[in-house]
Every structure is written in structure tokens, then in C-alpha cells.
């Protein structure tokens, strides 16, 4: 056992004395030591129940003959951090989470790990750590929130943000907004639509790193506790069979995850996290590979914000396995990939059933014949940009209009809510990329304001920042190279015509090359907003969004 490095033999007698200080028995010191990475805290609604999940995992590990040992991971609530400087500290935690977990696991020589994340950056951060450490590892999340109900209709956090925009437009009263405020988030759990947290938790199943239901069983269901116990048992089975994280997280598994992403209509943030996870296993994930995958993968689900269904509905319809079963029928998945169950993807999904053909459309009746995401390229985004096309209305799939240029999110929001943005405009928000932000803030506030102002079918938004999974509309993010390194988005001027063609996967600035060259020659980098602390260090190491905002020395 790897843990014997820290506790066996005369040389490690001092370490054993410290284990005794922790209350370990002599019997426990002979058993496998399983680290349980707990993302529990009291500020993130998706994490407030994780202590219960961790307790259940501990029981499962102990039942199967291991010794569970808990250590923490930080977590930021993107919804609470949204719209102010706090959002600069969201994406950057992904790497802190990966790095700190690596430190703890190697320093204490754990034999196996159970990762207990839930919200946006914890899942990819811990997947990155799992790939680095290559130990037997299972993921079990805190689970999704139940949808809220307002005036008899299911609602979620994206509805709340759009309600604020509707209030600014005068189409909703303060009392209406208060009702949304009190009802859209009725339980603990990750927010109830196919936002980033739920996207990534669903993809743990597609990767083979989570048990069936990990992405969809609601946080408040007792079934979630049972799942956690089984996760503890499963990691011990993996340990006995010597099944390790990189036996599961292969290039084929990541391509499976990308395919399932397209069918589910996941968050654009998956196009930041999948490349970063792939980087950890030595797979150079060019985001352009999303397009051929999307072209052959039908979009089978329209969960909020793309449609009126929620995670609880997907769970009842058969969950991620039912979606995977549909995809496997036409050969879109590699079903030989290994999983944490000790069985292949094909064996796992063999009994899956689609119980609701409106929540999970069958192959002969998809929402669209192409997947949920598209990568757009052109002279405005030579290295690519990302749009959740499953959440774009038909009339905005092809659009051109004058650029309305803002060098930060706050200025754009003020203009939108102040009625200065009109139908046909293309809002450009730059210097919000990984390096320029720094931290690549999510733009849920401006996209929601556009929708709430009734402009969702006539105004596009383009940014080198990113979008929440709760964003909808012609919202194009991850524009690379970003403005802070002199990418073409830095050269856009007020009134320039921008041409968007999502079916053709192009994003063009209608300005002559010689004019752009003149602008480039005169361009000066914007002074960085943050010059101290962790963000300064992050900005000096981070790459553009097309590479997954990975850190490079």
C-alpha cells in the first residue's frame, strides 16, 4: 500500500505517533487509507449538504475495509460572486483546488481518493487532480437543486437574473422580483438548470469517473446518500483491482464526454474545463475538434436555460445513462472505456431506458441534428470562440450589426440597463479574459439584462470572458486571442460591423486588413486592474480561453 510509506517500519514510528494522536488504532494503521476530499462550506448552496455526503462516503469506505480520512477543498459560489470583483476569483480556484489536492494526497500518501465536489470549479479542479495523482478515485457530487416554482411554473437562478433585467425594462414590479427571489432556489444543491456545475457533474458519468446518477440525483433525495455510500465501496473495489484514474480518463473517455456534452446541451464552460483536464493526461485538446463532434451529434436535451426542463426532470427520464444509451445506438460513443464500476461504459448503460422522450428526445426526433456547442473562428477570433448554439433563437443564428464596445462588464451592464443598447447591436465586452480580467469573469449579468430587456432575439454579446451555463442567446465567449495580449477583439471600434454566422461557424469583423494593421500598430495594452496577490501571479501564467485557461510556467 502506498500509505505504508508514511506509517510502516521503524523509520516511520514518529509518523505513527502522530496517527495515534489522531485516534487511529493499530488495526486501522494496517488498512488502506482513503482520502475524502470534501468541498463542504457554509457559503455555497451547492455545498451546504456535502457534510452529509462525506459522512455517507466514510461509511461506505469503512464498510468495504478502508480507513476514511477527510480533508478540504475550497469552493466559490459563482452566483454570489457574480457582477463584482469576486467573480475574478472564481475560475482561478480551479487550479488552487487541483494544486492543493495534489499537495495533500502526495504529502500524506493516500492509497485512494473519493472526490466530493459540486459547483462550478470544484468538479474540473478535482478531475485535474485525479489525473495528476493517478490513484483509484471516485467522484460523488452534492447533487442538483430542485427547481423553484413561481406562479405555477418551474424556475431557476437564470430566471432570477432575467427578472432583474425585466425590472430595469419596467416589465416587472419590485414585488414580482421579490417573489422570484424567494422561490427560484428552494433547496440546497447546484442550481437546477444545465449550468456549469450540473454540466460537469453529468460529464463525470460520461468520463466514467462517477457512478450512475451522480450528475442528476437531486441533492435532497435520500438516494444521494445511498449513492455516496456506494461511492465509498466502489473506490475500495477499484483499489483491490488496481483501477486508477488514468485507466479511465483516457483520450477516448474525454471524447465520449465531449459527445455527451453536445447531446445534453451543456455549459460553454465545459470548453474551458475539458481542455484543462485533457492537458493533465497529455492530450492536446484543440477546441476546434468540437465542431466535427457537434456536426454528427444530435442535441437531445433542452434543459434550462435552453428549455423548460430541469435536472430533476432529466433524472426521472433516465439520466445521463439514458442519453448515452441513445448515442451508443448510432455508434457515437466508445463503449469499451473503463469506469469506476470496474465495468465498461457499454456494460454500464446496457440497461438504461429513456422514460420521457420529451426530456430526452429520441434519435429520430432531436431538438437539432447538431450538438449544443459550436466553435466560431474568423478574423475576430483566429484561435476560436465558443457559443451554446442550443440556447440561441433561430433569428440570431446569423446576425450582423454595429459593435458597441466596452472595456469591462460594469460599463456594458450600465449601458444595457440604461436603454443605450438597441435591437441589432453587437455588444463587445473585452479585457475580461483569463489574463486581462484577470480571471475570465462570467457574463451572466449582461446576458440576463439583454434577455430581461426584451432584446434576446435581436442583440448579440461577444467577449473574451466567459458565460455562465445559465446564459442564453447569441452569447459568444472565450474569444481568443484575448484583448490583453493584443487579440483582434482589442482592435474593435465603436460602430464596426460584426458578422456572426453560427451555422457556418464564423465570427468576422468587417474591417479591412490594412485598417486592422494600423490599429494594431497603435494599440497599447490596458493597465492591469489587479497588480497584487494571487490574481497577479495567475495572470502571469494563464493562457487564453481556447487552451482551457491552463497555467504555464
Amino acid at each position: 500500500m502506498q500509505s505504508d510509506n508514511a506509517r510502516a517500519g521503524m523509520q516511520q514510528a514518529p509518523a505513527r505517533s502522530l496517527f495515534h494522536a489522531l485516534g487511529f488504532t493499530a488495526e486501522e494503521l494496517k488498512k488502506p487509507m482513503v482520502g475524502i476530499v470534501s468541498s463542504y462550506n457554509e457559503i455555497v448552496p451547492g455545498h451546504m449538504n456535502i457534510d452529509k455526503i462525506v459522512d455517507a462516503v466514510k461509511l461506505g469506505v469503512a464498510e468495504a475495509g478502508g480507513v476514511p480520512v477527510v480533508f478540504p477543498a475550497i469552493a466559490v459560489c459563482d452566483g454570489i460572486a457574480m457582477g463584482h470583483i469576486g467573480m475574478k476569483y472564481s475560475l482561478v480556484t480551479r487550479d488552487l483546488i487541483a494544486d492543493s489536492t495534489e499537495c495533500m494526497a502526495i504529502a500524506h500518501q493516500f492509497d485512494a481518493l473519493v472526490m466530493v465536489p459540486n459547483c462550478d470549479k470544484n468538479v474540473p479542479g478535482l478531475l485535474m487532480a485525479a489525473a495528476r495523482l493517478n490513484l483509484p478515485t471516485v467522484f460523488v457530487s452534492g447533487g442538483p437543486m430542485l427547481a423553484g416554482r413561481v406562479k405555477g411554473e418551474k424556475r431557476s437562478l437564470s430566471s432570477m437574473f432575467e427578472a432583474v433585467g425585466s425590472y430595469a425594462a419596467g416589465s416587472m414590479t419590485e414585488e414580482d422580483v421579490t417573489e422570484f427571489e424567494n422561490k427560484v432556489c428552494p433547496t440546497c444543491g447546484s442550481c437546477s438548470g444545465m449550468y456549469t456545475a450540473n454540466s460537469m457533474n453529468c460529464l463525470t458519468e460520461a468520463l466514467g469517473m462517477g457512478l450512475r446518477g451522480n450528475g442528476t440525483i437531486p441533492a435532497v433525495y435520500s438516494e444521494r446518500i445511498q449513492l455516496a455510500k456506494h461511492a465509498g465501496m466502489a473506490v475500495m473495489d477499484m483499489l483491490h483491482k488496481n483501477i486508477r484514474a488514468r485507466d479511465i480518463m483516457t483520450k477516448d473517455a474525454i471524447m465520449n464526454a465531449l459527445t455527451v456534452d453536445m447531446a445534453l446541451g451543456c455549459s460553454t464552460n465545459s470548453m474551458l474545463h475539458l481542455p484543462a483536464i485533457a492537458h493533465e493526461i497529455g492530450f492536446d485538446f484543440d477546441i476546434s475538434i468540437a465542431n466535427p463532434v457537434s456536426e454528427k451529434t444530435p442535441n437531445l436535451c433542452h434543459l434550462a436555460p435552453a428549455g423548460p426542463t430541469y435536472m430533476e426532470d432529466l433524472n426521472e427520464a433516465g439520466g445521463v445513462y439514458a442519453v448515452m444509451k441513445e448515442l451508443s445506438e448510432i455508434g457515437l460513443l466508445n463503449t469499451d472505456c473503463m469506469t469506476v464500476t470496474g465495468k465498461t461504459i457499454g456494460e454500464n448503460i446496457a440497461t438504461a431506458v429513456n422514460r420521457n422522450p420529451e426530456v430526452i428526445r429520441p434519435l429520430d426526433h432531436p431538438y437539432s441534428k447538431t450538438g449544443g456547442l459550436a466553435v466560431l473562428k474568423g478574423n475576430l477570433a483566429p484561435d476560436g470562440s465558443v457559443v451554446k448554439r442550443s440556447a440561441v433563437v433561430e433569428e440570431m443564428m446569423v446576425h450582423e450589426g454595429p459593435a458597441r464596445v466596452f472595456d469591462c462588464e460594469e460599463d456594458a451592464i450600465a449601458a444595457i440597463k440604461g436603454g443605450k443598447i438597441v435591437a441589432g447591436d453587437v455588444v463587445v465586452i473585452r479585457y475580461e479574459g483569463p489574463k486581462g480580467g484577470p480571471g475570465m469573469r462570467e457574463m451572466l449579468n449582461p446576458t440576463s439584462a439583454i434577455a430581461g430587456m426584451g432584446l434576446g432575439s435581436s442583440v448579440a454579446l461577444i467577449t473574451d470572458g466567459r458565460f455562465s451555463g445559465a446564459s442564453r442567446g447569441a452569447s459568444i465567449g472565450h474569444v481568443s486571442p484575448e484583448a490583453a495580449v493584443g487579440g483582434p477583439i482589442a482592435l474593435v471600434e465603436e460602430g464596426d460591423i460584426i458578422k456572426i454566422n453560427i451555422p457556418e461557424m464564423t465570427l468576422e469583423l468587417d474591417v479591412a486588413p490594412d485598417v486592422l494593421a494600423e490599429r494594431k500598430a497603435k494599440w497599447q495594452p490596458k493597465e492591469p486592474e489587479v497588480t497584487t496577490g494571487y490574481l497577479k501571479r495567475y495572470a502571469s501564467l494563464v493562457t487564453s480561453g481556447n487552451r482551457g485557461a491552463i497555467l504555464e510556467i
Side-chain angles (χ1 to χ4, degrees), residues 439-452:
M440 204 179 189
R441 288 194 288 182
E442 285 186 342
M443 301 289 154
L444 179 54
N445 270 321
T447 60
S448 298
I450 287 169

Side-chain angles (χ1 to χ4, degrees), residues 49-57 59-60 140-142 217-232:
N49 65 317
I50 280 178
D51 56 338
K52 311 296 189 299
I53 305 297
V54 167
D55 287 345
V57 172
L59 287 172
V140 56
S141 77
I217 298 170
V220 294
Y221 283 15
S222 298
E223 189 181 357
R224 175 64 56 177
I225 300 297
Q226 295 166 347
L227 181 75
K229 292 176 183 176
H230 285 135

Side-chain angles (χ1 to χ4, degrees), residues 162 165-171 415-419 421 448-456:
E162 290 180 13
S166 297
Y167 175 76
S171 59
I416 295 165
K417 291 185 176 179
I421 302 301
S448 298
I450 287 169
M453 296 286 285
L455 297 170

Side-chain angles (χ1 to χ4, degrees), residues 23-88:
F24 278 62
T25 66
E27 292 81 3
E28 286 175 313
L29 291 175
K30 297 175 183 177
K31 294 179 180 180
M33 190 164 64
V34 179
I36 303 173
V37 185
S38 171
S39 301
Y40 169 78
N41 64 41
E42 295 183 342
I43 190 63
V44 184
H47 290 227
M48 64 180 288
N49 65 317
I50 280 178
D51 56 338
K52 311 296 189 299
I53 305 297
V54 167
D55 287 345
V57 172
K58 290 171 69 176
L59 287 172
V61 168
E63 173 70 20
V67 178
V69 182
V70 179
F71 64 90
I74 64 169
V76 165
C77 178
D78 280 23
I80 295 174
M82 197 77 66
H84 55 84
I85 192 172
M87 180 47 69
K88 294 179 185 290

Side-chain angles (χ1 to χ4, degrees), residues 386-448:
V386 182
V387 63
K388 185 173 182 175
R389 64 176 166 189
S390 60
V392 180
V393 295
E394 185 61 32
E395 52 265 43
M396 289 299 290
M397 297 296 281
V398 177
H399 178 79
E400 67 176 78
R404 306 298 309 280
V405 184
F406 304 94
D407 285 349
C408 67
E409 177 189 8
E410 288 83 357
D411 290 350
I413 293 171
I416 295 165
K417 291 185 176 179
K420 296 179 181 179
I421 302 301
V422 300
D425 285 347
V426 179
V427 176
V428 176
I429 305 178
R430 60 193 181 190
Y431 295 104
E432 291 285 8
K435 189 179 293 289
M440 204 179 189
R441 288 194 288 182
E442 285 186 342
M443 301 289 154
L444 179 54
N445 270 321
T447 60
S448 298

Side-chain angles (χ1 to χ4, degrees), residues 365-387:
H365 185 48
Y367 282 101
S368 67
K369 293 180 180 180
T370 54
L373 298 179
V375 173
L376 312 184
K377 286 190 174 184
N379 69 345
L380 187 52
D383 293 338
S385 60
V386 182
V387 63

Side-chain angles (χ1 to χ4, degrees), residues 427-498:
V427 176
V428 176
I429 305 178
R430 60 193 181 190
Y431 295 104
E432 291 285 8
K435 189 179 293 289
M440 204 179 189
R441 288 194 288 182
E442 285 186 342
M443 301 289 154
L444 179 54
N445 270 321
T447 60
S448 298
I450 287 169
M453 296 286 285
L455 297 170
S457 61
S458 59
V459 169
L461 194 154
I462 296 172
T463 182
D464 53 7
R466 61 196 177 93
F467 295 107
S468 164
S471 291
R472 61 186 175 98
S475 303
I476 301 167
H478 309 195
V479 170
S480 300
E482 62 174 293
V485 298
I489 192 172
L491 311 178
V492 181
E493 294 185 358
E494 188 81 8
D496 286 348
I497 299 299
I498 292 175

